[in-house]
Amino acid sequence: MNNIDALVRGRRSVRTFDERPLTQQDLEKLCAFMQHAANPYGLPVEFRLLNAKEQRLSCPVVVGTDLYAGAKMKIAPHLNEAIGYSFEAFILYAQSLGVGTVWVGGTMDRPAFESAMNLSEDEVMPCVTPLGYPAAKMSLRETLMRKGIKADERMKFGELFFEGSFSSPLTPERAGKLAHPLEMVRLGPSAVNKQPWRVVVTENAAHFYLKRARGFGGGVLDMQKIDVGIALCHFDLAAKEAGLTPIFELSDPGIPAKDGEEYIATYRF
Ligand SMILES: Cc1cc2nc3c(=O)[nH]c(=O)nc-3n(C[C@H](O)[C@H](O)[C@H](O)COP(=O)(O)O)c2cc1C
């Protein structure tokens, strides 16, 4: 995947599609990508294409397409971060083809989608996305929804990223080579645009944390851990594109939390 910057800045959630079916070529490319959407946790993710009309699936925020991709996984530790990484890589790949997507974890008839995915008892389906070409104009519902959750806004660099401890906000200047990968994290999508990712940069590592928003409790399916998985994906792809060699690790550096931040993972250089 090339030019992460353009893909990350060019992506937005698309909920209004123009009714055109995907070209055979785009469909084949997406299917090929689905076969190998890996993640640093090494957990397999199974993607399936679904048809809302034929399988009677409803996702009320979406108009103008019947095609969806769903993803399911075996229940395992770190499944949320893993799906966040793999599914976001798929979303960015779709973006590179001009195919619109939106992460959907909540606003859908979940039982119908889960049954269409043939979910077994030891599996979960964290999310789905519609697939299609974006319409020129958003539906009124989508426009209002974006306004309601301030979907075009993001927190400031120094509110999300820190140097050494949660008490020292990081500046892009001090972040050096990590400034761009971190900016790619900042611009990412998150459930209800809560942006729960935090990163503490130390001499040779970036430690990722979850700062849980009130009312977003963690269960087996944890949308906010998925958000941090998305952050890991953007960071890793941007760092690699910049010629860095991030090494993924699960080793809590023991940095004291300031406001309930929960350690998730580290990229070491
Ligand atoms: C894990 C996750 C779950 C989401 N679930 C939904 C959803 O159920 N319905 C919906 O309309 N948007 C959903 N979104 C999309 C977010 O609302 C959107 O990413 C955020 O508002 C930022 O807007 P943007 O994607 O256009 O940058 C979800 C996003 C993520 C990352």
Side-chain angles (χ1 to χ4, degrees), residues 11-13 15 61 102-107 145-146 149 151 154 189-193 223 226-227 230:
R11 186 213 60 83
R12 64 164 173 87
S13 290
R15 301 177 181 87
V61 292
V102 54
W103 276 87
V104 178
T107 60
M145 186 174 179
R146 291 192 70 83
I149 54 181
R154 293 294 186 271
S190 56
V192 204
N193 202 25
M223 292 296 143
I226 294 182
D227 294 339
I230 294 172

Side-chain angles (χ1 to χ4, degrees), residues 8-40:
V8 167
R9 289 180 198 276
R11 186 213 60 83
R12 64 164 173 87
S13 290
V14 177
R15 301 177 181 87
T16 317
F17 295 87
D18 75 355
E19 307 277 356
R20 274 185 302 149
L22 289 191
T23 63
Q24 195 57 31
Q25 206 185 18
D26 283 346
L27 200 54
E28 280 169 15
K29 285 183 179 167
L30 288 169
C31 286
F33 194 92
M34 286 175 188
Q35 306 302 318
H36 61 82
N39 58 71

Side-chain angles (χ1 to χ4, degrees), residues 82-99:
I83 188 78
Y85 190 110
S86 287
F87 206 76
E88 181 65 4
F90 175 70
I91 293 255
L92 292 176
Y93 182 66
Q95 173 73 19
S96 77
L97 302 175
V99 172

Side-chain angles (χ1 to χ4, degrees), residues 198-209:
R198 300 289 180 274
V199 181
V200 180
V201 171
T202 55
E203 202 180 332
N204 56 0
H207 307 286
F208 285 71
Y209 291 80

Side-chain angles (χ1 to χ4, degrees), residues 208-224:
F208 285 71
Y209 291 80
L210 163 61
K211 185 171 174 205
R212 204 176 279 291
R214 216 169 290 142
F216 282 75
V220 174
L221 272 189
D222 186 334
M223 292 296 143
Q224 296 217 301

